[in-house]
Amino acid sequence: MGSFIKKNKKEIVIDKENIPEHIAIIMDGNGRWAKKRNLPRTMGHKAGVEAIRKILKEADRLGVKYLTLYAFSTENWKRPKEEVSALMKLLVEYLKNEIRELNENGVVIRISGDITKLPKDAQEEIKKSVSLTKNNKGLVLNLAFNYGGRDEILRAVRSIAEEYKNNELELEEITEERFSNYLYTKNMPDPDLIIRPSGEQRISNFLLWQCAYSEFWYSDICWPDFNEEHLHKAIYDFQHRNRRYGGI
């Protein structure tokens, strides 16, 4: 069975048997969305949370198994203190307001990033949400918060170096598969599809190791305006690409 949407007044069909197992999204454009409307940037971030609700539900309905959302990068600390503070509060509010429904729907909350740098209330809310949902069997919602791809790789290298130094690891044991086990995304498949709205076409330090063979989908739509139809379009385009993984 397929899922139908309209494209230029024509129906296109999503192959429900070929849904990306893991979709990652760089949620970009909240500030630009607000600026166009003469609103504070914080209002753009609040509108972005509404987009998360819609996309999470639709991804789950379509059968996506893993959804990674790039919510706050290691570089975002450079933003004005007021905006950073607002983002932290939004994270806490989102988890408090949504965790009951997410848990009832079987969603598993995971976090990629160094949460020790976050305010205490944010750390506590994250730990509660992760603990409450850890045994669920549904979609895995992986929130990349205080996350940076280079930082993640450096952490993995340091852990491996420490084990080697302590004679707990041999050089020949350091394989790609072993290395992946030191990353935040341990036991998760690499993303099949990475979506970036807002018109930018760069990776921005996101899943640098994991994106080696991901398909990328870009759009000029700011994240708060990203909806179910845009998700369908991204998946439709994904399904019509030839993924050769270096082969012919």
Side-chain angles (χ1 to χ4, degrees):
M1 294 293 291
S3 179
F4 291 86
I5 62 171
K6 290 184 178 180
K7 178 188 176 187
N8 297 328
K9 298 183 179 180
K10 293 181 181 179
E11 285 185 332
I12 62 173
V13 182
I14 291 177
D15 180 2
K16 292 296 291 294
E17 303 301 317
N18 186 27
I19 298 295
E21 184 179 20
H22 183 181
I23 294 177
I25 304 177
I26 301 173
M27 301 185 296
D28 196 13
N30 292 345
R32 271 162 280 187
W33 182 91
K35 186 177 180 180
K36 286 178 184 176
R37 292 160 176 77
N38 294 316
L39 296 171
R41 289 177 60 87
T42 52
M43 294 303 294
H45 296 308
K46 287 183 178 180
V49 171
E50 295 302 318
I52 291 176
R53 292 190 179 100
K54 290 185 290 188
I55 297 308
L56 175 59
K57 287 181 180 178
E58 186 61 9
D60 192 24
R61 188 187 74 80
L62 290 172
V64 176
K65 302 299 182 187
Y66 301 85
L67 181 66
T68 294
L69 301 178
Y70 201 9
F72 189 88
S73 77
T74 49
E75 291 75 36
N76 285 156
W77 294 105
K78 300 173 187 175
R79 294 186 177 186
K81 288 184 180 179
E82 297 79 11
E83 184 175 350
V84 170
S85 177
L87 284 166
M88 297 299 161
K89 289 177 181 176
L90 270 176
L91 171 66
V92 173
E93 287 175 11
Y94 175 77
L95 292 175
K96 280 184 175 178
N97 294 337
E98 304 294 323
I99 192 59
R100 181 175 177 179
E101 183 177 351
L102 292 173
N103 188 45
E104 288 175 352
N105 290 329
V107 172
V108 179
I109 302 292
R110 283 189 57 166
I111 297 292
S112 287
D114 180 9
I115 68 168
T116 64
K117 302 291 194 297
L118 305 185
K120 291 296 182 184
D121 59 339
Q123 291 184 45
E124 290 171 8
E125 210 59 47
I126 285 170
K127 289 174 183 176
K128 279 191 220 171
S129 300
V130 170
S131 178
L132 179 64
T133 63
K134 65 182 180 181
N135 294 320
N136 288 344
K137 304 299 182 185
L139 180 148
V140 174
L141 174 60
N142 181 38
L143 296 173
F145 214 90
N146 195 27
Y147 172 87
R150 288 183 174 181
D151 177 70
E152 179 182 36
I153 291 170
L154 281 174
R155 285 169 179 272
V157 171
R158 291 189 189 112
S159 296
I160 291 170
E162 187 67 24
E163 290 187 14
Y164 178 74
K165 178 183 174 183
N166 296 332
N167 297 314
E168 299 169 357
L169 186 67
E170 298 294 333
L171 284 177
E172 57 270 19
E173 294 179 298
I174 306 173
T175 61
E176 287 190 17
E177 182 178 1
R178 183 74 177 256
F179 187 86
S180 295
N181 287 332
Y182 294 86
L183 302 176
Y184 291 120
T185 51
K186 178 182 178 181
N187 297 326
M188 288 177 59
D190 291 340
D192 302 290
L193 174 64
I194 296 180
I195 296 171
R196 179 162 193 164
S198 87
E200 303 294 352
Q201 296 188 20
R202 55 177 175 265
I203 194 63
S204 294
N205 201 18
F206 184 49
L207 300 178
L208 298 181
W209 173 271
Q210 299 90 334
C211 77
Y213 282 102
S214 302
E215 296 293 327
F216 288 79
W217 192 83
Y218 299 105
S219 167
D220 291 334
I221 303 147
C222 289
W223 173 246
D225 290 328
F226 195 90
N227 59 32
E228 297 90 340
E229 186 171 334
H230 302 126
L231 179 64
H232 290 179
K233 177 63 169 61
I235 293 173
Y236 177 83
D237 287 352
F238 166 85
Q239 292 178 343
H240 289 78
R241 296 183 188 180
N242 183 12
R243 306 184 76 197
R244 297 187 295 276
Y245 297 98
I248 297 175

